[in-house]
Amino acid sequence: MKKHLLNAKAAAFTLTEVLVVLVIVGILVLLALPNLLPLITKAKSTEAKIQLEHAHTLEKTYFYEKSKYSGDLPAIGFIQEKLVTESENGQANYRIEVAESSPTTFVIKATAVVDFDGDGVFNVWEIDQDKNLREVVQD
């Protein structure tokens, strides 16, 4: 009885069959990747929008307290997260900075530090004192 179990063949895939399936899956991923890059960029740009809206709220609060807008992000309480290009602990994909500032107006800009789709163009968003959020440079 034991000899019969040792000689029995179990149903399984061969190494060649597994490798062929992996190659086919790899080709399908490569074909689908260019279609997914715009979705990745759109998802990453959500970070810029949220950060700009937060900075806008801080500028408005500063204005209500001081009757003027500030050109200094730390002065309004905005803390820039570490950028992904600065350290291995960095998580922020956008550098936030005040582009223009006067006592009655401001423009805050978010510039991508990573080229999301590899075309050499870096995504840029801006927000002003009236909360007009716009994409200046599309990636």
Side-chain angles (χ1 to χ4, degrees):
M1 186 75 161
K2 286 184 182 181
K3 193 161 187 113
H4 176 66
L5 290 176
L6 291 176
N7 291 335
K9 289 190 175 189
F13 296 107
T14 65
L15 180 61
T16 307
E17 291 170 332
V18 171
L19 289 176
V20 168
V21 169
L22 288 175
V23 167
I24 291 171
V25 169
I27 291 170
L28 291 174
V29 167
L30 287 175
L31 291 174
L33 192 59
N35 296 331
L36 296 176
L37 285 175
L39 295 175
I40 294 168
T41 302
K42 185 176 180 182
K44 299 273 186 180
S45 67
T46 302
E47 175 190 340
K49 295 174 191 177
I50 291 170
Q51 291 295 326
L52 288 174
E53 288 176 359
H54 175 62
H56 176 270
T57 302
L58 292 173
E59 277 281 13
K60 283 295 192 181
T61 303
Y62 185 89
F63 182 80
Y64 295 141
E65 292 174 358
K66 312 278 186 188
S67 297
K68 65 178 181 177
Y69 292 115
S70 174
D72 185 27
L73 288 175
I76 64 172
F78 185 86
I79 300 170
Q80 172 72 59
E81 292 288 328
K82 287 186 180 179
L83 301 172
V84 293
T85 56
E86 291 177 345
S87 70
E88 62 184 46
N89 297 339
Q91 295 180 339
N93 292 301
Y94 287 86
R95 176 176 285 112
I96 311 298
E97 57 195 356
V98 178
E100 300 172 26
S101 177
S102 74
T104 58
T105 64
F106 70 85
V107 175
I108 301 175
K109 180 171 65 168
T111 306
V113 295
V114 177
D115 183 11
F116 301 122
D117 58 5
D119 64 356
V121 177
F122 291 83
N123 193 228
V124 179
W125 286 83
E126 288 182 349
I127 195 168
D128 64 13
Q129 71 282 349
D130 297 324
K131 207 172 184 179
N132 295 321
L133 182 64
R134 65 186 186 103
E135 189 174 25
V136 179
V137 178
Q138 191 174 13
D139 186 12

